[in-house]
Amino acid sequence: MLNIIEQTYDWKWIPEKRRGTDTIVLHHSAGHGSVEDVHRIHRGQGWPGIGYHFYVRQDGKVYRGRPEAQIGTHTAHYNARTIGVCFEGNFQTETMPGAQYEAGVELLRYLLGKYGPLEIKGHRDFNATACPGRNFPINDMKEEASMQRYNTLKEMPDWAQPTVKKLMDKRVLVGSGGKKDPQGYPADLDLSLDMLKLLSVLDRAEVFRL
C-alpha cells in the first residue's frame, strides 16, 4: 500500500500554482542521496527548493517534494501542467531495484486515480537529456500502473464514479450478479483503469443517452 512520507522544507519562496495536470514526467536523480539532499542542491541552483513533486528512493520509500498544487522545476518549458516524479539512482548505468519499481507503480496508480487519464513520459521526451536513463523501465511501469482492476464503486477514482454509478443505475453494468456492496451495487465489476477512462470519455461525449 502506498505511503507518501511528508516532509517539511525551508523554501526560498512559494512557487506559483500549476495551471492543470495532463502529464506525469519521470526523472532519475543521476546519483544517490536523500530527499533533503535534493532539496539542498536545488536551492543551491537558485530554485525555491526541491523541484520534483515526489521522490522515490531505492528502498521503496516515497517522499513528497514540492506540493502538487505548485508549479515544479523539473522539465524546462513544461512545468505548468505536469507533475514531476524523480527516482533515486542513475539508470544510464543501473537497473531499478524491485522495491523502488513497485513503489513507482503504486505512486503512478495513485496519481492516475486522483487526476484521471494522464500521459506518462520521460524527461527526455521534452528536453535534450538522457533522463531518466536507458535502463529506466518506463513502458513496464506505465503498463502495470494501468492494469489496476476495480470491482466496486467505492474503489474507483472519484472522476470515474459518476459515470459508473449512472450505468449501474440503468442496469448497463451489472457484474456477474454474484456480489453486492452495502448499497446494493455490483461488487464484482472487474473494470480496468483503461476501461474507466473510456467510459468517462464516452459519457462526456454524451454517447450514453440513457
Side-chain angles (χ1 to χ4, degrees), residues 11 23 35-36 44 46 53 74 84 100 108 112 135 145 171:
W11 301 100
T23 306
V35 69
E36 292 89 352
H53 297 96
H74 56 86
Q100 188 178 30
L108 292 180
L112 291 172
N135 297 324
R171 305 289 296 169

Side-chain angles (χ1 to χ4, degrees), residues 104-119:
V105 169
E106 287 300 313
L107 177 58
L108 292 180
R109 284 177 177 166
Y110 161 77
L111 293 172
L112 291 172
K114 182 174 182 178
Y115 291 99
L118 298 176
E119 293 281 351

Side-chain angles (χ1 to χ4, degrees), residues 110-170:
Y110 161 77
L111 293 172
L112 291 172
K114 182 174 182 178
Y115 291 99
L118 298 176
E119 293 281 351
I120 301 174
K121 295 186 175 182
H123 186 188
R124 61 180 174 240
D125 294 318
F126 298 95
N127 301 144
T129 176
C131 178
R134 66 171 66 93
N135 297 324
F136 193 101
I138 290 181
N139 291 333
D140 290 344
M141 198 172 279
K142 286 168 59 174
E143 182 177 355
E144 193 164 343
S146 297
M147 285 173 59
Q148 171 114 6
R149 312 294 296 192
Y150 300 90
N151 293 311
T152 68
L153 186 65
K154 185 177 180 181
E155 294 174 350
M156 296 175 193
D158 292 344
W159 54 264
Q161 289 186 19
T163 295
V164 174
K165 185 176 184 299
K166 177 195 299 185
L167 295 175
M168 290 194 299
D169 286 341
K170 298 298 183 179

Side-chain angles (χ1 to χ4, degrees), residues 2 56 60-62 87 98-108:
L2 179 65
V56 185
K61 292 180 180 176
V62 179
F87 290 74
Q100 188 178 30
Y101 176 87
E102 293 299 327
V105 169
E106 287 300 313
L107 177 58
L108 292 180

